[in-house]
Amino acid sequence: MIRIFQWFLVLLLVLNVFVAQSQQIILFQNHENGIYKSGDKVRIVALLQDKSTDSLTVKIQTDFTKWTTERIKYTGDSMVIFEKTLDKTGTLVFELASENESGSIGLICNPDKFIPGTQRPKDFDRFWKNQIKNQRLLPFQVLQKPVSVPNNDYCCYDMELNSTASKPARGYFAKPQNAKPRSLPIVIYFHAAGVKGDWCRSEPANALRYAGTGKGALCFDLNAHGMLNGQPESYYAELENIELKNYPQIGAENKDQSYFLGMYLRLLRTIDYMTKQPEWDGKRILVLGESQGGGQSLIAAGLDKRITAVVATVPAMCDWGGTLVGRKGSWPYLFSTANNREKMLANVPYFDAVHALKNCKATLVVEVGLIDQTCPSSAIYAALNQAKSKKIILTAPYRAHHFTQTAYKPLYNKTIAKSKDDFIKAFLSK
């Protein structure tokens, strides 16, 4: 009875937004979080604002791979477009479209049953233990330049840390002025995929934001590629078009040349540097990011047991091998490229979060979009299921990889976004 009441509260909230945003089509389901188990009955209801619509197209996608399509006749303000008892593990995405509008929603059945699409290498732990050991043998060479900040209570630096990767770790490091020894947690912020976009670059504002959250923190905003900070647009455009063009595929057939090896070594180097700061409390380390940044956060937690908390939003780099077992793997879809599959099978799994998370001890707060075609829910769950640590999984049935259904945004802000923000604030306020 309580569950039904909660569902109606959610329905009423979205309905108000639906009218305000003038979105023509909105979809609901009887499990508001989109999670089901075998034997559960699914009921998908469509609400339409445009009363003139007389014909609609229903598309249903199974396991983020196969679509079926049918035309239906509009029968009123609301209508049931799907009703069925689920009988197997998998995912469904529903899209209802009129001539000018569409709405989507997704679900996942038996999320705890998803397993990796590739085998974990027998020497996975030894490989990474050696990489970490070799990097720690390298004496730190640190370059830092003070950055002007608007608040004198904080200081910020443009940073460069040497690494055994081909490029150093670069980003911005911010912290409260005059913090006492062993008083602050660490926050490391990772970035989404790409090279020249503003979402790919480190910024002082990101580091300062988390340095000033809660009771303060030591925050490093790390870019994924070891790029220089604060350069002209032409610098990043040239990197994207030449040196870093299709960077996820670089070295896909050889683990010692993999682009992800360098990316992960830089993040591990950053963790080591941050834990040497006298202000670190010796306990708390939070890593966070979205998409590629979420994937890096999961990798960090799997490769370094000192990580205590992760906040990952629609994380990438999870279960690339899903492509091999009848469902869609996660970005960057390495097993869908023209590279030699056998060679990739022997090398790619070393860099997949699905295998790194076996060693994770951190609390994982992970947002999953159930209509996300870039980082499918099944791939993320396959990875999360390997971790034995505490997990807080926040499913958004209406979320694609990028937030496109704006009518749901107020609901999202009051639920999922608030849950993540509250967790971060509580973690940094201990």
Side-chain angles (χ1 to χ4, degrees):
M1 183 67 182
I2 293 176
R3 188 177 183 84
I4 295 173
F5 178 69
Q6 290 174 334
W7 187 83
F8 274 109
L9 287 179
V10 171
L11 176 64
L12 290 171
L13 176 59
V14 177
L15 272 174
N16 289 334
V17 178
F18 168 60
V19 174
Q21 295 284 341
S22 297
Q23 184 169 332
Q24 301 299 309
I25 299 173
I26 244 175
L27 301 179
F28 298 94
Q29 57 188 308
N30 49 317
H31 287 198
E32 68 271 18
N33 62 4
I35 297 175
Y36 298 80
K37 61 181 183 294
S38 294
D40 286 346
K41 188 173 185 178
V42 178
R43 194 167 190 260
I44 307 294
V45 178
L47 301 176
L48 283 73
Q49 187 175 358
D50 185 358
K51 304 298 190 292
S52 64
T53 300
D54 61 359
S55 183
L56 299 163
T57 300
V58 178
K59 296 174 66 179
I60 303 175
Q61 185 187 39
T62 303
D63 295 326
F64 292 96
T65 55
K66 301 175 182 179
W67 286 97
T68 60
T69 304
E70 67 172 306
R71 298 285 291 179
I72 62 173
K73 191 170 182 62
Y74 174 60
T75 60
D77 289 345
S78 65
M79 56 189 296
V80 177
I81 64 167
F82 182 87
E83 196 165 23
K84 183 180 179 180
T85 298
L86 299 177
D87 58 2
K88 62 180 181 179
T89 298
T91 63
L92 292 172
V93 173
F94 303 89
E95 180 183 299
L96 182 66
S98 64
E99 184 177 347
N100 300 313
E101 282 279 346
S102 67
S104 297
I105 202 166
L107 63 83
I108 186 166
C109 182
N110 302 330
D112 60 325
K113 301 298 184 183
F114 286 95
I115 61 175
T118 56
Q119 293 293 317
R120 191 176 197 262
K122 292 181 180 178
D123 67 339
F124 181 96
D125 293 329
R126 183 168 68 251
F127 172 80
W128 280 109
K129 183 178 180 180
N130 288 336
Q131 293 292 336
I132 293 168
K133 178 182 177 181
N134 290 338
Q135 181 159 254
R136 287 177 177 168
L137 289 173
L138 181 68
F140 268 103
Q141 294 179 4
V142 181
L143 298 177
Q144 64 180 40
K145 302 175 185 177
V147 176
S148 177
V149 297
N151 187 337
N152 291 331
D153 292 335
Y154 299 89
C155 53
C156 185
Y157 303 94
D158 180 341
M159 300 293 298
E160 178 178 304
L161 312 174
N162 66 329
S163 167
T164 51
S166 60
K167 292 281 184 70
R170 292 186 172 116
Y172 289 98
F173 173 33
K175 62 181 180 179
Q177 292 274 23
N178 304 317
K180 295 179 181 180
R182 298 186 64 84
S183 65
L184 296 175
I186 290 168
V187 177
I188 303 178
Y189 180 78
F190 301 116
H191 285 268
V195 179
K196 70 178 182 180
D198 56 6
W199 62 89
C200 313
R201 309 180 204 173
S202 301
E203 297 289 346
N206 294 328
L208 288 165
R209 172 188 172 190
Y210 291 105
T213 300
K215 294 182 179 179
L218 307 168
C219 181
F220 199 112
D221 174 14
L222 176 72
N223 77 66
H225 309 299
M227 303 183 297
L228 293 168
N229 297 316
Q231 299 300 298
E233 292 293 325
S234 58
Y235 166 80
Y236 301 103
E238 183 175 347
L239 277 179
E240 183 172 78
N241 295 326
I242 301 176
E243 181 182 341
L244 296 183
K245 186 175 182 179
N246 298 323
Y247 66 83
Q249 293 191 47
I250 296 173
E253 298 177 2
N254 185 333
K255 64 180 181 294
D256 296 316
Q257 299 174 7
S258 169
Y259 188 80
F260 289 101
L261 175 59
M263 181 188 290
Y264 298 171
L265 285 171
R266 284 188 287 273
L267 71 84
L268 290 166
R269 189 63 161 176
T270 303
I271 296 168
D272 280 347
Y273 173 75
M274 295 294 280
T275 57
K276 292 181 179 298
Q277 302 310 300
E279 300 93 342
W280 180 43
D281 64 12
K283 298 178 181 178
R284 291 173 292 165
I285 305 177
L286 167 67
V287 292
L288 71 163
E290 182 171 335
S291 191
Q292 177 185 265
Q296 290 177 88
S297 300
L298 296 178
I299 289 289
L303 297 182
D304 194 321
K305 295 178 182 178
R306 293 173 297 180
I307 304 298
T308 48
V310 173
V311 177
T313 300
V314 292
M317 287 104 84
C318 291
D319 194 30
W320 290 326
T323 303
L324 306 175
V325 291
R327 58 179 189 266
K328 188 176 182 181
S330 182
W331 182 92
Y333 326 117
L334 293 177
F335 287 108
S336 298
T337 65
N339 293 297
N340 182 287
R341 178 166 289 186
E342 291 304 312
K343 289 182 178 179
M344 284 196 296
L345 276 170
N347 292 280
V348 163
Y350 289 90
F351 308 102
D352 193 329
V354 80
H355 299 309
L357 282 173
K358 179 181 179 181
N359 295 325
C360 175
K361 292 187 175 182
T363 296
L364 302 176
V365 180
V366 182
E367 178 184 336
V368 183
L370 298 188
I371 60 171
D372 187 344
Q373 302 288 330
T374 304
C375 300
S377 56
S378 49
I380 297 173
Y381 269 101
L384 297 180
N385 289 341
Q386 307 314 302
K388 302 300 188 291
S389 57
K390 180 180 179 180
K391 285 165 274 193
I392 302 170
I393 304 175
L394 307 168
T395 53
Y398 43 78
R399 173 169 182 152
H401 197 62
H402 301 289
F403 215 110
T404 55
Q405 299 196 102
T406 55
Y408 291 98
K409 202 59 184 282
L411 172 63
Y412 171 85
N413 289 340
K414 290 185 177 183
T415 53
I416 293 175
K418 185 177 185 301
S419 294
K420 293 191 298 182
D421 289 344
D422 287 349
F423 178 87
I424 293 170
K425 290 174 183 176
F427 183 87
L428 299 180
S429 298
K430 294 178 182 178

